[in-house]
Amino acid sequence: MMQQYLETKKEYQDCILLYRLGDFYEMFYEDALLASKELEITLTGKNCGQEERAPMCGVPHHALEGYLSKLVSNGHKVAICEQMEDPKITKGIVKREVVRIVTPGTNLNLQSLEETRNNYLMCIVYFPGKTGISISDVTTGDYYLTEVEDIRRLQDEINKYAPSEIICNEQFLVSGYDIEDLKNRLNVTVFSLASHYFDEDGCRKGLMKHFHVNTLSGLGIEDFPTGMIAAGALLQYLYETQKTSLAHFTHLYPYLTSKYMLLDSSTRRNLELTETLREKNKTGSLLGILDRTKTAMGGRLLRKYIEQPLIDKEKMERRLDAVEMLCKKSVDRDELREYLTAIYDLERLLGKVSYKTANPRDLIALRNSLAMLPSIKVVLNDLNASLLSEINEHMDALEDIHQLIGDSIIEEPPISIRDGGMIREGFSETIDSLRSAKTDGKNWLAALEEEDRERTGIKNLRIKYNKVFGYYFEVTNSYQHLVPEDYIRKQTLANAERYTTPRLKELEDAILNAEDKLSTLEYDLFCEIRDKIAAQMERIQRTARAVARLDVFTSLSYVAERNQYVRPSLNEKGVIDIKDGRHPVVERMINNDMFIANDTYLDNQKRCIAVITGPNMAGKSTYMRQTALIVLMAQIGSFVPAKSANIGIVDRIFTRVGASDDLSSGQSTFMVEMNEVANILRNATVNSLLILDEIGRGTSTFDGLSIAWAVIEHISNRKILGAKTLFATHYHELTELEDKMDNVNNYCIAVKEKGDDIVFLRKIVKGGADKSYGIQVAKLAGVPDMVIERAKEIVEQLSDNDIIEKVQNIEVNNVKGERHKPVKYDEVDLEQMSLFDTVKDEDIIRELQEIDVGNLTPIDALNTLYRLQNKLKNRW
C-alpha cells in the first residue's frame, strides 16, 4: 500500500495528497507534518518497512469538505486519491486514483464560498507589449478572455475580478509586476505553469475541441491571439485538475477592456463599491444598498455590474428603460420578486450536475426553481421594455426537464444517492417490483407459511430466519411423518428438522437481494436522469442568465422606488448636472431624512474644476464621493439619489481620498498619496472624473500647497488634460486660482458660528472659506481645554504671517504649459522658516499702518493695542 502511495505522490509532488484508506483520508511524511499543524489534528506514525515510522495523520471521509476548504484557503493544492474498487470484493490491493485536484480557484465546496460572489481563477500570459487574460469560475461555468497593453491595465482587471488564484507563465514572474503584493495584500495564490501549457497551437486545438468548432472565428476570439493562449492554458489546467468534461463551460466570452469604465484599486476602495474601507463588510457599501436581489445568481451579476460600469450610452439607456418599466409596473415587479424568491442557484446547481456531484435534493431544488419559470414568463409578456423582452425570449420554460424530475424523483429524497429510496413509484417497473419484494416480503412469507401448513397438515409449521441458513421451514420431530417430498433438509436439531423448498428459496433470493439490487438500480437510474439534464446544459444556463438579469433589474427598481431615486438623463457632451444629489449610503445611515442634498455642476468648459474648501467634518468628502457614486450608478443602469440628474458619460473615475501609510511596502502617507496622484495625472483623459481630497497635506505647508497648486494648473490646462474635477482642500490660498484660471470655481461648505462653537450646515455654496475651524473641531472631539487655548494663541501668531499675499503674486502657467522659473532662495526654504519664525518689527509697523483709526470703536482700539503689545512681548 505504501509503495502505491509513493508512486501516486511522485506524480503530484506539488500537492498535499489525501489518500483514501477505508473511512479516512490519510496523509504521510511531509504532507502529514504540514497538515497536522494547519488542520490542528493529531500526528501519529505508521510502520511501513522503513527504519523509522512514517509520519501520518488523517481526517474522516464524511468531514472531508471542511478540512479541504481550510487547506485550500491557505493556498495549498490538494490531490484527492479515491478507492476505485470495492475492498469487500477485491483481491489484493485496492486500485486507487487521483480523482480531482482542488486549488483556491477550483474549490467546489459551496459552504466555504460566498453565494453572491464568484470564485474566480485567472490565467495571465505575459509577453512584452501584450498580456493575455482569461478568467473562469468552475462553480458557474463563467469563462472570459481579454487582452491589455500594459501592466497597469492588468492591475485594473485583477482588482475587478479579485481572483482567489492566478496561474501564469514564467515571463510574468519576471515582468516587474509586484507578485508579493498580489500574495500578501490581495491574498491571491499564484502558481506558474510549465511552458507547454502556453503552446499556441496546443491552446488553439484544445479550445476548438472543447467547443466543437473548426476555427477560432466560431468562438469570436480570432482578434485576441494572446488572450486565446491564456484561455487555452486555463482550460488545459482545469482538465488536468478537475478530471471531468467541464460540460458546463458552454461559452467563451471575449471582451475589450475599453468598453467599460476604468476603476483603479484606490477608486474601488475609496468609493466603497462592494465592501467598506475598514471592516470589509458588504453592509455600508454601494452594493449593500443596491442589492435586494432574490437569487444568488442575481447577487453575483449585480456585483459584476457595479465592478464594471458601462460607457456605451445605448446599453445604459436599455437598462434604464427596463428599470423604469418595472417602476411603472410595480405590482408586476413585486409579483416577479415573489417568484424569484423560490429560485435556487441554478448556475451552481448546473456546476454540480456537470461534475456529477448533484444529489437527489439538488434535482428537487432544480425542479422547484423551474416551476416558477412559466409564471415569470406570463408576467414578462406584459412588460414591453426591449431588455425585458429579450430576457423573456432567452428564458426557456424548461417544462420537459421539470416533468422529468417530477416524474422520477420523490418529493423529499435522501441526500445520499447510494442509499436508494429516491425514485418515484411508477417510474420504473423493475424498481417497483424490487421495492415490493423488500416491503412485501413478510406478507409473502406469511402467505407461504399458511399455504404449506394447510397442504402438509403440520399445525406448528413455522418459517424462520438466521444469517447462516437464511429462511427455512422448521418441523418438530412429532410431525416428521407429514413432511412432503419437495422439502429439502438443511439442518437437523435435537427436537426438530429445518427444511427449504424451491418456492421458499425463490422468495429468499428476492427478499435478500432486493435491497442491494434496489440501491444499485436506483443509483444507475438517478445517474441516467442527471445525464439527461446535463445534456440540456446550454438551455438551462441561458435561462439562468436571463433569471439573473431579471433579478438585478427588479432589485434596482425596488431600491429606486423605496429610496426615491430618479432616472438620470445621459449625455455625451461632458456635462454633469445634479440637482439635490444625495449620498446613496450615508442617507440610509441617517435617521429622520436629515441628509442635506446638494447640487453639482461640472463641464469641460468654464465649470471644469471645483475647488471646495470648508471645515473638517463639514461633509466635503461625502459630497465628492456622492457625485462619483451618482455618476457610477447611472452608468450601471441604475436610478440615482437626486431630484434630477443629467450625467455626462465618463470613461474613468479616479479618486485620491484619505491618508494611509503602506508600511508593508515601506511607503509613507505622502508617498502613497503622490503615487496615486501620479497615476491619475498620467492616465486620466478629458472625459474622466477626478475626485481629489486634500492633495499635499502629508508634507510641509509650502511643499503641499505648491504641489496642490501645480496639480490644479495641470488639470485645468485643456491642452494637457481638462478633466472634470472636484478638489477639496484646506489650503485656502488655492481659492485665488478662481481669478487666475477661467475654468476653476470656488465652493465651500456653509457653517454657522456660535461663539467658539460651530454648526455644520452641510450645504455647498459658491465662494471660498476663509478658515478651516480645525480648533473648533478639535474641541468637539474632546481635546483638553488647555491644549485648545494654547492652539488658539499659536494660530493667532501664525495667522499674522499669512501667505495670501505671496500666493497672489504667483503667476499661473501660461496656456502652453511653460514653467515660469520661481524665485530661488538659498538651499534653505526661507519662506517656510518665516512662517514659524518670531514676529518681526516690520509686521507690527505694517499692521499699524493698515489700521483705519476713524472706524475703530474704543473697545476695538483697546483690543488691538493689547494684541500688538503681546506680540512685542513675544518678540523680545
Side-chain angles (χ1 to χ4, degrees), residues 672-690:
V672 171
E673 178 183 324
M674 288 300 100
N675 279 337
E676 292 182 2
V677 169
N679 171 46
I680 292 170
L681 296 183
R682 289 180 181 277
N683 293 284
T685 72
V686 68
N687 294 318
S688 301
L689 174 63
L690 314 186

Side-chain angles (χ1 to χ4, degrees), residues 422-435:
M422 55 195 165
I423 301 299
R424 192 181 288 274
E425 187 177 341
F427 187 72
S428 166
E429 289 184 11
T430 308
I431 287 177
D432 287 348
S433 63
L434 287 172
R435 197 171 280 157

Side-chain angles (χ1 to χ4, degrees), residues 419-579:
D419 295 343
M422 55 195 165
I423 301 299
R424 192 181 288 274
E425 187 177 341
F427 187 72
S428 166
E429 289 184 11
T430 308
I431 287 177
D432 287 348
S433 63
L434 287 172
R435 197 171 280 157
S436 295
K438 180 183 173 184
T439 56
D440 297 342
K442 289 182 180 179
N443 296 333
W444 295 347
L445 292 171
L448 179 62
E449 184 183 280
E450 183 62 30
E451 180 184 320
D452 271 35
R453 192 179 293 134
E454 291 181 6
R455 180 169 72 91
T456 62
I458 303 171
K459 294 181 180 180
N460 63 353
L461 186 67
R462 294 281 185 273
I463 294 178
K464 295 185 178 181
Y465 171 81
N466 67 33
K467 290 184 178 180
V468 177
F469 293 102
Y471 290 100
Y472 51 83
F473 288 109
E474 186 169 284
V475 181
T476 58
N477 289 338
S478 58
Y479 285 99
Q480 286 298 321
H481 63 285
L482 296 177
V483 173
E485 292 182 2
D486 61 334
Y487 274 38
I488 303 166
R489 182 181 286 108
K490 294 188 76 172
Q491 187 182 18
T492 301
L493 301 179
N495 60 350
E497 297 280 348
R498 290 175 175 175
Y499 300 91
T500 186
T501 66
R503 175 63 179 153
L504 181 59
K505 184 66 177 173
E506 185 182 320
L507 287 180
E508 179 184 64
D509 289 342
I511 294 168
L512 295 182
N513 294 331
E515 192 162 344
D516 289 339
K517 287 181 180 177
L518 184 61
S519 296
T520 302
L521 193 59
E522 284 203 51
Y523 171 78
D524 292 341
L525 192 54
F526 176 81
C527 291
E528 187 180 318
I529 294 164
R530 192 170 60 190
D531 289 343
K532 285 181 180 178
I533 295 169
Q536 304 300 318
M537 186 74 68
E538 200 163 338
R539 284 174 65 202
I540 307 173
Q541 278 187 330
R542 186 169 61 247
T543 298
R545 285 191 289 269
V547 169
R549 292 165 74 195
L550 178 63
D551 195 13
V552 168
F553 296 131
T554 55
S555 175
L556 292 176
S557 169
Y558 175 77
V559 172
E561 184 180 275
R562 183 183 176 203
N563 297 348
Q564 284 110 40
Y565 293 173
V566 298
R567 175 172 180 161
S569 302
L570 301 173
N571 70 79
E572 294 174 322
K573 298 176 181 178
V575 175
I576 295 176
D577 184 7
I578 301 168
K579 302 294 184 189

